[in-house]
mmCIF file of all heavy atoms in Angstrom:
data_model
loop_
_atom_site.group_PDB
_atom_site.id
_atom_site.type_symbol
_atom_site.label_atom_id
_atom_site.label_comp_id
_atom_site.label_asym_id
_atom_site.label_seq_id
_atom_site.Cartn_x
_atom_site.Cartn_y
_atom_site.Cartn_z
ATOM 1 N N ASP K 44 -14.279 -20.318 5.803
ATOM 2 C CA ASP K 44 -14.104 -18.948 5.337
ATOM 3 C C ASP K 44 -13.239 -18.974 4.074
ATOM 4 O O ASP K 44 -12.097 -19.430 4.128
ATOM 5 C CB ASP K 44 -13.428 -18.113 6.433
ATOM 6 C CG ASP K 44 -13.170 -16.685 6.007
ATOM 7 O OD1 ASP K 44 -13.828 -16.217 5.052
ATOM 8 O OD2 ASP K 44 -12.303 -16.026 6.612
ATOM 9 N N MET K 103 -15.491 -24.478 -14.011
ATOM 10 C CA MET K 103 -14.200 -23.997 -13.514
ATOM 11 C C MET K 103 -14.297 -23.613 -12.038
ATOM 12 O O MET K 103 -13.379 -23.868 -11.268
ATOM 13 C CB MET K 103 -13.743 -22.792 -14.351
ATOM 14 C CG MET K 103 -12.474 -22.145 -13.879
ATOM 15 S SD MET K 103 -11.078 -23.267 -13.957
ATOM 16 C CE MET K 103 -9.769 -22.198 -13.411
ATOM 17 N N LEU K 111 -8.499 -25.413 -4.406
ATOM 18 C CA LEU K 111 -8.173 -24.509 -3.289
ATOM 19 C C LEU K 111 -8.336 -25.229 -1.950
ATOM 20 O O LEU K 111 -7.477 -25.112 -1.069
ATOM 21 C CB LEU K 111 -9.064 -23.264 -3.313
ATOM 22 C CG LEU K 111 -8.674 -22.157 -4.259
ATOM 23 C CD1 LEU K 111 -9.781 -21.116 -4.344
ATOM 24 C CD2 LEU K 111 -7.382 -21.502 -3.824
ATOM 25 N N ASN K 138 24.550 -26.991 -6.870
ATOM 26 C CA ASN K 138 24.766 -26.087 -7.998
ATOM 27 C C ASN K 138 24.519 -24.614 -7.664
ATOM 28 O O ASN K 138 24.594 -23.779 -8.559
ATOM 29 C CB ASN K 138 23.853 -26.488 -9.163
ATOM 30 C CG ASN K 138 24.188 -27.842 -9.722
ATOM 31 O OD1 ASN K 138 25.300 -28.324 -9.557
ATOM 32 N ND2 ASN K 138 23.212 -28.464 -10.363
#
Side-chain angles (χ1 to χ4, degrees):
D44 178 20
M103 176 62 178
L111 279 170
N138 295 338

